[in-house]
Amino acid sequence: MSYNKTSMEKLFNSAQKLGITLNQEQLDKFHIFFQELIEWNKRFNLTHITEYEEVISKHFLDSLSIIAAGQLKDTDRVIDVGTGGGFPGLPLLIAYPHFKLVLLEATAKKVIFLKHITQVLGLSVQEIITDRAETVAHQPEYREQFDIVLSRAVAELPAAVELTLPFCKIGGVFIASKKGDITQEVSLSLKGIDILGGKLREIKPVTLKELPDQRQLVIIDKIKSTPVQYPRRPGMPEKKPIK
Ligand code: SAH
């Protein structure tokens, strides 16, 4: 396969720093993922990042950087809430093919891409759901069923916790990948975290020089059950975050 060797080496080396050794087959998958993303993006508006190096760093490496939380295990049941074009869930699944991964995305068009790309890459996702988190989180087969809940660039933290913590089983974690100064966002979410049954464990900086911005992982433990009234009806978490 012919592709930009330098970028792939960069991906390989950076993943290595995160403790993942990608083999050739996995690197090929990332390359095909890139090509398909760009092709489908012409019609589907999946990402505004289309330059090769940038896709590698801002989508692939940034997704893989969640590994730095030191939390993911091969056997974990994981849900990616608002996965869009598959981030961070799919890069993690390429790295850890045994994850039991559920992708949740409200926009049907994006789900068409997700079904296509998982098939092309031969990735076995447990399920791809087209719906809103506010609805799915009330269904018993998903509510408090996951070891790890992920969500990137879906909502600010005060709203994101309501869309994610209901999916976390007690003893599970929600890991949010954030960039820039998040002090205020975090402090505004503390009340919601508490009400929803979570507890802020730590904010862990990701120190990977290949990532362009200051990144950090907000790690929230689920310590008690989420009250039945959460999440509130679709749109409410963002319109009126718990404060
Ligand atoms: N996580 C991806 C996409 C971010 S864009 C990434 O980091 O690249 C946010 C995505 O979340 C959009 O695709 C949008 O359709 C989806 N989304 C927003 N609110 C949602 C909700 N309440 N339930 C499910 N998906 C949602």
Side-chain angles (χ1 to χ4, degrees):
M1 187 176 298
S2 79
Y3 51 68
N4 187 331
K5 207 155 172 269
T6 325
S7 293
M8 279 297 148
E9 266 166 19
K10 183 169 146 186
L11 180 63
F12 176 86
N13 290 331
S14 310
Q16 193 89 39
K17 288 185 201 156
L18 293 165
I20 320 158
T21 303
L22 296 172
N23 61 29
Q24 191 57 51
E25 190 189 333
Q26 288 166 316
L27 289 169
D28 288 346
K29 285 187 180 180
F30 278 111
H31 184 65
I32 297 166
F33 195 171
F34 166 76
Q35 287 178 320
E36 295 287 326
L37 188 69
I38 297 311
E39 191 51 38
W40 282 61
N41 202 40
K42 292 174 190 156
R43 289 172 290 149
F44 278 38
N45 192 23
L46 298 161
T47 175
H48 62 278
I49 298 167
T50 54
E51 194 264 319
Y52 192 67
E53 292 270 342
E54 264 201 311
V55 171
I56 298 275
S57 63
K58 293 191 177 167
H59 282 326
F60 297 164
L61 273 174
D62 188 54
S63 295
L64 291 178
S65 73
I66 287 179
I67 310 265
Q71 197 65 37
L72 306 190
K73 289 193 299 300
D74 220 5
T75 48
D76 276 340
R77 193 159 184 221
V78 184
I79 186 167
D80 183 1
V81 176
T83 189
F87 306 108
L90 290 182
L92 289 166
L93 189 63
I94 295 176
Y96 288 90
H98 302 295
F99 265 165
K100 298 187 195 79
L101 177 67
V102 173
L103 299 175
L104 172 59
E105 170 52 50
T107 307
K109 257 181 145 184
K110 295 189 181 178
V111 171
I112 297 174
F113 172 74
L114 293 170
K115 289 189 173 152
H116 167 77
I117 193 68
T118 48
Q119 204 233 335
V120 167
L121 297 179
L123 293 172
S124 72
V125 279
Q126 207 163 56
E127 206 179 342
I128 305 176
I129 309 172
T130 320
D131 208 335
R132 293 193 60 114
E134 294 92 323
T135 309
V136 180
H138 285 285
Q139 298 166 1
E141 64 267 48
Y142 304 108
R143 190 174 181 85
E144 305 200 322
Q145 297 297 319
F146 293 89
D147 303 292
I148 311 278
V149 182
L150 305 172
S151 186
R152 190 186 81 155
V154 174
E156 298 239 310
L157 215 46
V161 290
E162 189 172 347
L163 299 175
T164 56
L165 280 173
F167 287 105
C168 259
K169 59 158 90 152
I170 295 170
V173 289
F174 164 43
I175 306 170
S177 165
K178 289 275 167 190
K179 62 181 172 189
D181 181 7
I182 52 161
T183 326
Q184 207 199 357
E185 215 183 314
V186 170
S187 64
L188 285 174
S189 67
L190 290 177
K191 183 158 178 219
I193 293 174
D194 182 45
I195 288 175
L196 295 159
K199 189 170 192 296
L200 178 64
R201 186 199 303 178
E202 69 172 312
I203 298 169
K204 200 166 180 174
V206 179
T207 46
L208 203 61
K209 69 172 182 354
E210 292 81 353
L211 294 176
D213 317 289
Q214 181 202 342
R215 305 276 164 144
Q216 51 245 306
L217 301 173
V218 181
I219 306 174
I220 299 170
D221 287 301
K222 181 76 174 274
I223 57 165
K224 50 186 177 12
S225 226
T226 301
V228 285
Q229 66 267 37
Y230 299 107
R232 290 164 294 162
R233 61 185 163 76
M236 282 303 280
E238 281 182 277
K239 222 173 290 159
K240 252 177 150 292
I242 306 167
K243 273 193 207 133

